[in-house]
């Protein structure tokens, strides 16, 4: 009787030749969770390192003509933090009386004919490979704005220095070039390069 009972128990044992990886397994789930958590921590650490990286932003304080400056920031800085730093720098110079009583909320940042809201960070623009009306929003190095120079040649990467502007100046001049070209940044709007290299717009909306 005992031999028969043992045989029946063996029949209901686990068959080592059957794939059971799809079945619930507490140890395997815990190991997967630990691995996912390790990946998450590593990803967050990498992103924090990227956000802490320094970058040089060339900009132009625009009051109808350009006043070229440059400022060192971190990739994780927001546009508002950048504008606050430019305001401090420009006030220290004492050259622009209209900025003495200005606040950061009264400043705008325009890049590639695109008005970028204060809450975006440089990191946001870089990782999303953001584009604006006039080209990529991820390049902040030095270039002349060939459109203002009325030069038909185009920049190799089609990037120009961003403009720091008083909102009051924009409201007074938004019907006049170049302010008449500017539009708010819309991450959902897609642009493609125009077929005609002489086209002033350079980009058309898809």
């Amino acid at each position: 009787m005992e031999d028969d009972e043992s045989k029946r128990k063996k029949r209901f044992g686990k068959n080592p030749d059957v794939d059971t990886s799809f079945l619930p397994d507490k140890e395997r789930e815990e190991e997967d969770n630990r691995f996912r958590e390790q990946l998450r921590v590593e990803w967050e650490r990498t992103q924090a390192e990227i956000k802490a990286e320094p970058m040089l932003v060339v900009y132009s304080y625009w009051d109808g003509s350009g006043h070229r400056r440059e400022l060192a920031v971190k990739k994780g800085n927001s546009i508002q933090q950048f504008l606050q730093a430019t305001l401090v720098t420009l006030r220290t110079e004492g050259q622009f009386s209209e900025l003495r009583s200005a606040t950061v909320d009264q400043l705008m940042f325009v890049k590639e004919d695109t008005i970028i809201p204060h809450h975006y960070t440089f990191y946001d623009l870089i990782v999303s490979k953001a584009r604006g009306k006039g080209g990529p929003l991820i390049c902040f190095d030095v270039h002349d704005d060939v459109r203002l120079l009325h030069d038909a040649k185009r920049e190799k990467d089609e990037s120009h220095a961003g403009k720091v502007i008083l909102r009051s100046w924009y409201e007074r001049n938004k019907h006049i070039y170049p302010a008449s070209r500017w539009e708010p940044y819309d991450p959902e709007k897609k642009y493609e390069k125009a077929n005609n290299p002489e086209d002033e717009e350079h980009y058309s909306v898809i």
Side-chain angles (χ1 to χ4, degrees):
M1 294 290 296
E2 290 183 2
D3 289 343
D4 292 341
E5 184 70 22
S6 298
K7 288 178 181 178
R8 280 197 298 271
K9 286 182 179 180
K10 287 181 180 179
R11 287 195 194 101
F12 291 103
K14 196 172 183 180
N15 187 341
D17 297 326
V18 176
D19 180 14
T20 60
S21 59
F22 63 92
L23 296 175
D25 186 315
K26 184 177 180 181
E27 290 185 3
R28 185 168 62 243
E29 288 179 0
E30 290 177 350
E31 183 178 351
D32 289 344
N33 290 336
R34 285 193 297 269
F35 180 66
R36 283 194 292 268
E37 177 64 14
Q38 181 181 348
L39 290 178
R40 185 190 66 80
V41 171
E42 178 64 21
W43 184 87
E44 290 183 351
R45 182 187 66 80
T46 301
Q47 301 313 301
E49 290 177 353
I50 294 174
K51 292 178 182 180
E53 290 176 357
M55 61 181 290
L56 187 67
V57 177
V58 177
Y59 69 95
S60 180
Y61 173 61
W62 189 263
D63 57 1
S65 59
H67 308 276
R68 184 68 61 89
R69 302 288 189 275
E70 60 183 39
L71 183 70
V73 300
K74 293 181 179 179
K75 291 180 180 178
N77 287 154
S78 67
I79 298 301
Q80 184 176 46
Q81 289 173 316
F82 162 71
L83 289 173
Q84 182 62 55
T86 63
L87 184 58
V88 171
T89 300
L90 294 169
R91 275 180 181 166
T92 301
E93 295 178 6
Q95 184 178 346
F96 309 104
S97 59
E98 68 273 18
L99 295 178
R100 291 173 187 166
S101 59
T103 65
V104 68
D105 291 333
Q106 295 172 314
L107 293 178
M108 299 168 57
F109 184 55
V110 179
K111 185 80 169 69
E112 307 303 339
D113 294 328
T114 304
I115 303 169
I116 305 178
H118 286 200
H119 67 274
Y120 281 96
T121 67
F122 293 102
Y123 170 86
D124 294 333
L125 302 174
I126 292 170
V127 298
S128 65
K129 298 181 179 179
R131 302 190 77 86
K133 182 178 180 180
L137 302 179
I138 61 175
C139 302
F140 298 93
D141 53 353
V142 181
H143 291 290
D144 291 324
D145 193 332
V146 295
R147 292 160 303 169
L148 294 180
L149 296 175
H150 304 290
D151 189 341
K153 67 181 180 181
R154 300 168 68 189
E155 296 294 351
K156 186 175 181 180
D157 59 8
E158 303 180 74
S159 180
H160 314 98
K163 294 177 178 64
V164 174
I165 303 142
L166 272 173
R167 192 175 299 276
S168 57
W169 183 94
Y170 171 70
E171 293 298 332
R172 291 194 307 271
N173 296 278
K174 59 186 178 182
H175 62 291
I176 303 171
Y177 181 87
S180 59
R181 291 174 50 88
W182 303 342
E183 63 180 40
Y185 174 58
D186 180 358
E188 300 302 319
K189 184 178 286 189
K190 306 298 181 184
Y191 294 91
E192 64 178 359
K193 293 182 180 180
N195 293 326
N196 182 2
E198 302 299 327
D199 186 0
E200 179 191 1
E201 293 290 340
H202 292 333
Y203 286 79
S204 58
V205 180
I206 296 177

